[in-house]
Structures are given as structure tokens and as C-alpha cells.
Amino acid sequence: MRSLTEQDIRGSFVNCSKGEAKRLAIPRDLDERPWDDLDFLGWRDPGAPDRSYLVTERADRLVGIALRFPASQRGFLHRSMCSVCLTTHPGGGVSLMTARKAGTAGREGNSVGLYMCTDLACSLYVRGKKVPESGTRFEESLTLEEQIARTAGNLAAFVDKLYA
């Protein structure tokens, strides 16, 4: 992913108002992000524990998505798998992220969701740059490039549902 500026990020949101996009908390460490290793930029809102944000590219255009997830966490012995990168995590490492749909459907209250790494670090897990709390990922027969393509495809399918 190419590096993004605060202006790029604020102007990309498709499922919230311009006022909401203007007020949301943008990460302060944009210059330090490992952009070459990211398929999307994802972060949690430090002021609102039930909100996260994601910015990705779709058809050569940035798409920002405001996400919500439940504050309740599962027990440590419970394991869940991310639908995007297929990394398993114990406890609250995976959450059901929901997003209002774009346009009229979203204004009418329609939303879509998927189970995703709560820390939104899918790109780093796939590349082995970050290790899940459990310490490992499943061994796969796919190459790293194929795993990255699958992760990007899973995210693209979710983004497409915002417009359907």
C-alpha cells in the first residue's frame, strides 16, 4: 500500500458523514507505518473502544470504512479465526466488525460484517512480521504471495458488500 496522509484518510470514508470523518482519530504514527507490508491501513479509535477504521484501495481509489465491534471479549480458551487473513487468535483477538453500508442503504441502517483480527494487523500476520498471541500461524502450502493475494481478495469481497 502507498503511504497515506491525514487528508487522504479523511477524504476516503464511504460509510460516514464528512463531519464524522473530520472528527475521527487518525493515527499519529503515519510516517512510521510499514507501508510496503500493508494491504490496508487499520487502527482502533483510542477514544472509543468499540470503533475501528480501515482504509484500503478499491479500483484505484481509496475507500475508508468506519467499523464497530462489541466490547465484550471471549474467554482466553476460546479461539477464533479471522475471515480476512485466516489467523487464529485466543480470546478477544478476533471480533465481529460491522460497517454501515455506503449510500442510501447505510442511511437506512443496513450493515455488513465479518470476523477480523481485533488489532487489524492482518497484513503483518500473513507476512510473519507480527506473531499472534498464541505464538504461531497454521502452516500453509500456499506461497506468501498467494496468501497475500487471498487476504486482499477476502478484504475486497467485504468492501464490495458495502456497495451491494
Side-chain angles (χ1 to χ4, degrees), residues 143-161:
T143 66
L144 177 60
E145 290 76 24
E146 291 170 328
Q147 291 177 51
I148 291 168
R150 179 188 61 207
T151 299
N154 290 342
L155 182 62
F158 172 69
V159 172
D160 288 347
K161 290 178 186 177

Side-chain angles (χ1 to χ4, degrees), residues 69-80:
F69 63 97
S72 64
Q73 301 294 322
R74 294 183 168 135
F76 189 76
L77 296 177
H78 183 87
R79 299 185 66 79
S80 298

Side-chain angles (χ1 to χ4, degrees), residues 13-146:
F13 282 87
V14 298
N15 69 337
C16 64
S17 70
K18 288 182 180 181
E20 289 170 316
K22 185 178 179 182
R23 291 186 301 272
L24 61 86
I26 301 291
R28 301 263 183 238
D29 63 347
L30 291 177
D31 293 336
E32 301 164 20
R33 295 286 172 134
W35 294 105
D36 291 339
D37 292 324
L38 297 180
D39 302 306
F40 62 90
L41 172 65
W43 72 99
R44 293 182 65 175
D45 188 330
D50 65 336
R51 292 185 190 180
S52 290
Y53 306 99
L54 184 149
V55 178
T56 189
E57 293 178 275
R58 179 182 188 260
D60 296 327
R61 185 175 153 239
L62 288 177
V63 175
I65 305 165
L67 300 161
R68 290 189 180 260
F69 63 97
S72 64
Q73 301 294 322
R74 294 183 168 135
F76 189 76
L77 296 177
H78 183 87
R79 299 185 66 79
S80 298
M81 181 181 283
C82 173
S83 300
V84 175
C85 66
L86 305 186
T87 299
T88 59
H89 295 275
V94 172
S95 296
L96 175 61
M97 304 280 186
T98 58
R100 266 192 330 223
K101 286 187 145 197
T104 305
R107 287 189 293 276
E108 292 174 353
N110 296 322
S111 63
V112 294
L114 83 160
Y115 286 94
M116 193 168 182
C117 296
T118 305
D119 63 3
L120 301 168
C122 299
S123 302
L124 301 178
Y125 290 124
V126 167
R127 290 168 174 81
K129 305 281 182 173
K130 188 170 183 178
V131 179
E133 207 174 302
S134 62
T136 60
R137 282 191 43 150
F138 288 114
E139 276 293 316
E140 293 196 63
S141 59
L142 297 177
T143 66
L144 177 60
E145 290 76 24
E146 291 170 328

